[in-house]
Amino acid sequence: MPPRSSSLAAPVFWRHPGIPHIELRKISDARQVCYAPHSHTHWSFGAVTAGKSTFRYRDSSYQISAGDLVLMNPHWVHSCNPIENEPWAYLMLYVDTHWLTDLRYQAGLLASSDWEDIATAVISQPRFYHAYRAMAACLLDNQRSLLEKQTVVVDYLLEVLQWLARKPHQPLQKVPNELLAVAAYLDANASKELSLADLCNFSGYSAGHLIRTFKQHFGLTPHAYLVNRRIQLGQRELKLGKPIVETALKVGFNDQPHFQRTFKQLVAATPNQYRQSLSE
């Protein structure tokens, strides 16, 4: 087998200041792109463009292959990794949750302007897949106008969301308010040094009960959730062009190497690769 080009293996991130609620990631050779379980604050919508992989989403596991689309709710733990080093490639669209909520609400797909999780995890519909590829190609083409890019994104997402809204509703498990409060506390104090005693005092739970029930509902222990949140904050800082070492310290890491190792485990890209996006 010929050696892989490093340029093919490296991820590409596309962003545009005129569409700040959208980010596109492109991986052309993902055989060695492995993720630790993680979650995002935004809604994620991906397309497998070559090969196959294992998609783990909360308590479920899916074998996905070229032509499949995957959907990930904000804060839902997931990972998507190669199968025995088989070739695979993908595109991933990250969509701001508040913007998408408003889009759904204005289209009459939500009864209120509050986010509602989407039960569907995988779509295997060729028409949606090919339209996704066309949308991504439009975003990556610097000859296409901003208006065209904005129109293509909104038109495509609405078509998919309207189709999903017609599917039979599947009730989703509700997270207890006490655990939502713990998650909000971790979000608000992510850059601080927290102890298990701090979380127990805040929640009123015993250590064992807190760890067990938090992982049951969020898919991560409180510590893993905190680390994941720090990486999310780090991504936000890097998109603003902040230096890596400054970002590492600001979001709660003791040093840059620890931040870089953890970032690559959860994002499958180095902080520098993530910061260097294609833009216009």
Side-chain angles (χ1 to χ4, degrees):
M1 180 184 296
R4 290 182 299 152
S5 164
S6 59
S7 62
L8 285 178
V12 169
F13 294 94
W14 177 90
R15 307 179 190 107
H16 193 295
I19 321 179
H21 43 268
I22 295 292
E23 177 178 297
L24 180 69
R25 175 190 182 115
K26 179 180 180 181
I27 291 282
S28 299
D29 185 346
R31 279 174 289 177
Q32 295 186 15
V33 176
C34 294
Y35 295 87
H38 63 287
S39 67
H40 306 287
T41 57
H42 41 247
W43 184 67
S44 308
F45 187 23
V48 182
T49 56
K52 61 180 70 173
S53 68
T54 301
F55 173 43
R56 301 190 187 281
Y57 190 45
R58 283 201 163 178
D59 296 327
S60 301
S61 181
Y62 306 86
Q63 299 300 306
I64 55 176
S65 57
D68 287 332
L69 302 174
V70 294
L71 301 81
M72 288 156 277
N73 289 313
H75 307 297
W76 283 35
V77 173
H78 59 275
S79 62
C80 199
N81 294 311
I83 298 176
E84 296 179 353
N85 201 38
E86 292 187 22
W88 75 290
Y90 67 89
L91 293 157
M92 186 65 66
L93 193 72
Y94 303 107
V95 185
D96 179 79
T97 306
H98 297 295
W99 178 86
L100 188 62
T101 300
D102 187 62
L103 184 70
R104 295 166 72 189
Y105 178 63
Q106 296 297 335
L109 302 177
L110 292 177
S112 70
S113 56
D114 297 316
W115 172 260
E116 223 175 75
D117 285 330
I118 295 170
T120 301
V122 178
I123 297 175
S124 299
Q125 293 278 340
R127 67 186 178 99
F128 288 137
Y129 171 75
H130 293 301
Y132 186 113
R133 294 292 304 267
M135 173 194 64
C138 177
L139 293 179
L140 292 167
D141 185 352
N142 60 15
Q143 300 301 311
R144 313 282 275 273
S145 71
L146 174 60
L147 176 59
E148 183 177 5
K149 293 175 190 287
Q150 293 169 326
T151 302
V152 166
V153 167
V154 170
D155 185 52
Y156 176 71
L157 289 177
L158 279 177
E159 184 180 3
V160 173
L161 292 167
Q162 287 166 344
W163 179 79
L164 288 169
R166 293 193 291 270
K167 293 174 66 66
H169 178 70
Q170 302 176 36
L172 299 170
Q173 187 180 30
K174 181 175 171 55
V175 181
N177 289 334
E178 295 82 359
L179 292 179
L180 290 173
V182 173
Y185 180 80
L186 290 168
D187 289 342
N189 296 278
S191 62
K192 299 178 182 177
E193 186 67 35
L194 298 176
S195 69
L196 186 56
D198 293 331
L199 300 181
C200 291
N201 290 334
F202 175 81
S203 65
Y205 285 18
S206 68
H209 184 55
L210 174 61
I211 291 172
R212 184 175 64 253
T213 56
F214 193 93
K215 186 174 182 180
Q216 175 187 342
H217 287 281
F218 287 95
L220 297 170
T221 65
H223 173 259
Y225 181 96
L226 179 68
V227 172
N228 185 75
R229 180 59 177 154
R230 287 174 174 172
I231 294 300
Q232 293 170 353
L233 294 173
Q235 288 177 281
R236 186 178 68 185
E237 294 296 309
L238 293 172
K239 283 196 286 188
L240 294 173
K242 299 295 178 63
I244 295 172
V245 64
E246 177 185 318
T247 295
L249 298 175
K250 183 174 181 179
V251 302
F253 287 88
N254 292 327
D255 54 57
Q256 181 179 339
H258 186 199
F259 173 66
Q260 292 196 152
R261 288 193 302 272
T262 307
F263 193 96
K264 191 167 184 180
Q265 287 174 345
L266 299 187
V267 184
T270 67
N272 196 47
Q273 287 172 333
Y274 183 76
R275 191 171 56 171
Q276 295 175 344
S277 69
L278 293 179
S279 59
E280 300 162 46

